[in-house]
Amino acid sequence: MERLSWLPILTWLPQYNLKWLKMDVLAGLTVGLTTVPQALAYADVAGLPVQFGLYSAFMGGFIYMLLGTSKDVTLGPTAIMSLLCFSVVGGEPHRAVLLSLLCGLIQATMGLLRLGFLLDFISYPVIKGFTCAAAITIGFGQVKNILGLRGVPSQFVLEFYYTFAKIPEARVGDVVLGLVCLTFLITLTVMKRTLPEDNAPTISRVARKLIWTVATMRNALVVIGASVVSFSWETYGYDVFTITGKTAQGLPPFTPPPTSDTTANGTNVTFGEMVEDFGGGLAVIPFMGLLESIAIAKAFGSQNGYRIVANQELLAIGLTNIMGSFVSAYPVTGSFGRTAVNSQTGVCTPAGGIITSAVVLLSLAFLMPAFYYIPKASLAAVIICAVAPMADYKVVMKMWKIYKRDLLPFGVTFFVSFWEVQYGIIAGIAVSGALLLYNTARPKIKIFDNDTLVLELRGEVSFPASDYLSNFIHTNALPASSPRSVVLDCHHVSGIDYTVVNELSDLLRQFKLQGVRLVFARLEPSVLKVLLAADVKGLRYTDSVEEALQESQNLHSD
């Protein structure tokens, strides 16, 4: 049983059959044709040569087949991870590869130590704030490629300014091609989204399947079509489009990732200096990669009726990044778009990832010379359409209606991310943590104001709340003029700690000095056990609030 938990492939491989094989091959081919153009485009977001996108796109299929617990998830380069990678390594290939190794080691260690629960501390508002900012940053960052502009800085504020300042320098060919590609992609996306059900009388099953297939392959069709147009103009000697240019050919060598680097002026950079330069990104990227992939796996597991094992997913992603660093990959994670295609095509097992990886490897082996002619405007159109759904403006209204305080970590993450994306996440987590601690330090107390004050506590009361609780009771029950007895209804209190016990002991002494009582009602067994073990002097407790009210009035028994 232990072997099955560490190698999930053993749970489905014995039942593998021809029907599953057919569906996995179909899904793998479909996802592969989606992966290749996206990988090329995301490498540009990471500031790396386009071949690095493909280098990062094939290892996940092999590793995840062995270790993954979701049949649908596909690992590879994504828009968010590419943006984070660029923000940390600034488009330097050697550092991007080393970053993949270090991220993988952190992720795999978390999986082995069963530390997946740490991801629970990254709140939903932080995630949405980051993804919305990332969508705007990535999408706007591609406008310069649509316009064919050069010399535009990558920092968002400067990029925003210089993109508009350089509009007069826009190349007509890139603008026309980019807009045509965007129109084509948006049209097919809308057609796919509005397709009627299989049994709808308005469209035949064959026509529906054809539209779905073309719409699913839209990225590949756009890149191929644009490349043919670009090649035609280049053949006749016209420099109309900004093209990808020369790329490395063939498969990447299998070598250990670099542990040192050399700057443009010949200065040697040691391993320690490289790690130091990564800064907070070395904490943010592994966590965001895990969070993105596990969220996707859980969503599709719920949709398709199976459960995933979070810690096993950490191990799978971690080993993918570790092994990927040996083939010049940068950090990867699960892709929502490609996972959706995988699921919709009917994949049956993680073996579909092998076919996807094979498509990527074949592209590297035989198609790299053709990538020379890919116009950057077409890749920009692919990226813009891929990240546009991430800008979920409706979530702001939902937070406003449900819990307005969530807008604070959302807003901090969103705005700081335009400065530095990893700092945006860190700032958002810090604000969320502060709000969480504030709620812990300020437990809800319901007041029933009679001759005897009844205070109803809710939730666990721990040391951050001890001083607030003591002051609250003292202020409301022990004013200098007219002190009153208090019944503390602890029915909803699930636990207390040593600091709280000390504060309660001190309160009991103060109540006795004032000639009034503090009586505990409806104590949970675990809380009563702690109070009795602490030998709290003057402790009085009852099974009901009514009994506590009577007890508080029997001062003669003192």
Side-chain angles (χ1 to χ4, degrees):
M1 195 68 184
E2 182 70 20
R3 185 178 60 176
L4 294 181
S5 66
W6 285 104
L7 278 176
I9 186 176
L10 298 178
T11 62
W12 55 263
L13 189 60
Q15 288 83 40
Y16 204 75
N17 54 54
L18 187 60
K19 180 183 177 182
W20 286 5
L21 176 63
K22 290 178 180 177
M23 296 306 296
D24 285 347
V25 169
L26 176 61
L29 287 172
T30 305
V31 175
L33 292 173
T34 304
T35 300
V36 171
Q38 283 195 346
L40 297 172
Y42 291 149
D44 183 69
V45 175
L48 301 170
V50 292
Q51 66 267 20
F52 280 84
L54 296 178
Y55 295 166
S56 307
F58 66 83
M59 186 60 72
F62 297 107
I63 302 296
Y64 198 81
M65 183 190 73
L66 297 172
L67 301 175
T69 59
S70 167
K71 72 179 182 66
D72 300 299
V73 166
T74 62
L75 300 181
T78 66
I80 286 178
M81 291 301 285
S82 300
L83 177 65
L84 285 169
C85 182
F86 177 75
S87 71
V88 173
V89 304
E92 298 182 33
H94 283 184
R95 298 193 178 203
V97 174
L98 177 61
L99 182 63
S100 178
L101 173 66
L102 297 177
C103 287
L105 289 172
I106 292 170
Q107 292 166 331
T109 301
M110 288 179 65
L112 292 171
L113 297 179
R114 298 293 191 256
L115 297 178
F117 71 91
L118 293 176
L119 299 176
D120 296 337
F121 289 94
I122 304 178
S123 67
Y124 185 77
V126 172
I127 297 168
K128 294 306 292 185
F130 168 67
T131 54
C132 288
I136 295 170
T137 302
I138 295 169
F140 189 81
Q142 296 305 310
V143 172
K144 62 179 181 288
N145 290 328
I146 294 283
L147 299 176
L149 301 178
R150 296 173 185 175
V152 176
S154 56
Q155 206 281 331
F156 182 78
V157 176
L158 295 175
E159 185 178 53
F160 186 86
Y161 173 78
Y162 280 101
T163 297
F164 284 101
K166 287 175 172 280
I167 283 180
E169 302 174 22
R171 293 163 58 98
V172 176
D174 287 320
V175 173
V176 172
L177 181 65
L179 292 176
V180 169
C181 291
L182 278 173
T183 302
F184 183 77
L185 288 169
I186 293 170
T187 301
L188 287 178
T189 301
V190 172
M191 288 177 66
K192 183 179 179 181
R193 193 177 298 158
T194 56
L195 270 179
E197 299 296 330
D198 283 334
N199 54 0
T202 56
I203 186 172
S204 69
R205 189 172 181 180
V206 175
R208 183 186 185 283
K209 195 167 186 179
L210 178 62
I211 294 172
W212 185 89
T213 303
V214 172
T216 301
M217 307 293 185
R218 61 188 180 276
N219 292 332
L221 294 175
V222 159
V223 172
I224 292 170
S227 300
V228 170
V229 172
S230 173
F231 175 75
S232 302
W233 283 97
E234 289 283 329
T235 302
Y236 287 101
Y238 294 103
D239 181 21
V240 178
F241 309 109
T242 304
I243 59 176
T244 300
K246 189 175 181 180
T247 57
Q249 297 185 25
L251 303 177
F254 190 86
T255 57
T259 54
S260 63
D261 198 9
T262 304
T263 62
N265 60 9
T267 304
N268 185 59
V269 183
T270 65
F271 174 78
E273 290 171 333
M274 292 170 71
V275 173
E276 188 178 346
D277 289 343
F278 291 158
L282 200 54
V284 170
I285 293 180
F287 270 83
M288 287 307 297
L290 295 173
L291 197 67
E292 189 176 1
S293 190
I294 290 175
I296 292 167
K298 285 183 176 179
F300 283 90
S302 174
Q303 177 180 309
N304 295 324
Y306 61 84
R307 294 186 64 83
I308 63 120
V309 181
N311 287 307
Q312 184 66 27
E313 291 292 302
L314 303 190
L315 183 62
I317 300 166
L319 285 179
T320 295
N321 280 321
I322 291 171
M323 296 306 297
S325 69
F326 285 81
V327 291
S328 301
Y330 67 88
V332 302
T333 186
S335 163
F336 185 87
R338 297 193 295 272
T339 298
V341 170
N342 207 25
S343 177
Q344 291 166 4
T345 314
V347 72
C348 294
T349 71
I354 296 293
I355 308 301
T356 298
S357 297
V359 172
V360 176
L361 289 170
L362 288 171
S363 300
L364 279 167
F366 301 109
L367 298 180
M368 291 307 289
F371 294 157
Y372 177 93
Y373 296 100
I374 297 177
K376 287 192 174 183
S378 65
L379 295 179
V382 169
I383 293 171
I384 291 171
C385 289
V387 301
M390 290 163 47
D392 184 9
Y393 63 91
K394 294 180 181 178
V395 74
V396 176
M397 296 307 300
K398 290 179 182 177
M399 289 183 198
W400 177 261
K401 292 178 181 177
I402 296 171
Y403 191 58
K404 294 178 179 62
R405 196 176 289 174
D406 279 340
L407 289 172
L408 183 57
F410 172 87
V412 169
T413 307
F414 180 79
F415 289 110
V416 177
S417 291
F418 289 118
W419 171 46
E420 285 286 351
V421 286
Q422 68 266 34
Y423 294 151
I425 298 168
I426 292 171
I429 293 172
V431 172
S432 285
L435 291 176
L436 181 64
L437 290 174
Y438 179 82
N439 290 332
T440 303
R442 297 291 183 270
K444 292 182 178 179
I445 303 175
K446 193 172 182 180
I447 301 177
F448 299 93
D449 199 349
N450 301 304
D451 292 336
T452 298
L453 197 64
V454 179
L455 302 179
E456 183 182 44
L457 300 178
R458 293 185 174 272
E460 185 174 347
V461 181
S462 53
F463 69 91
S466 60
D467 192 54
Y468 171 77
L469 176 62
S470 177
N471 288 335
F472 187 92
I473 295 175
H474 197 282
T475 301
N476 285 277
L478 299 177
S481 57
S482 56
R484 290 192 292 173
S485 295
V486 170
V487 171
L488 208 56
D489 185 358
C490 302
H491 179 62
H492 297 291
V493 179
S494 56
I496 58 175
D497 59 23
Y498 181 76
T499 306
V500 175
V501 171
N502 277 344
E503 287 291 340
L504 292 175
S505 298
D506 186 58
L507 276 172
L508 285 167
R509 284 193 295 271
Q510 293 181 46
F511 269 77
K512 187 173 183 180
L513 288 172
Q514 295 285 345
V516 289
R517 283 184 174 174
L518 173 61
V519 183
F520 297 86
R522 300 199 292 178
L523 286 169
E524 290 292 321
S526 58
V527 177
L528 179 60
K529 184 179 178 182
V530 171
L531 291 171
L532 293 175
D535 194 22
V536 176
K537 303 237 184 273
L539 175 67
R540 289 182 171 82
Y541 56 92
T542 64
D543 293 332
S544 69
V545 174
E546 291 76 15
E547 291 176 10
L549 287 169
Q550 292 177 2
E551 177 73 19
S552 67
Q553 295 167 7
N554 296 332
L555 296 178
H556 63 274
S557 62
D558 282 336

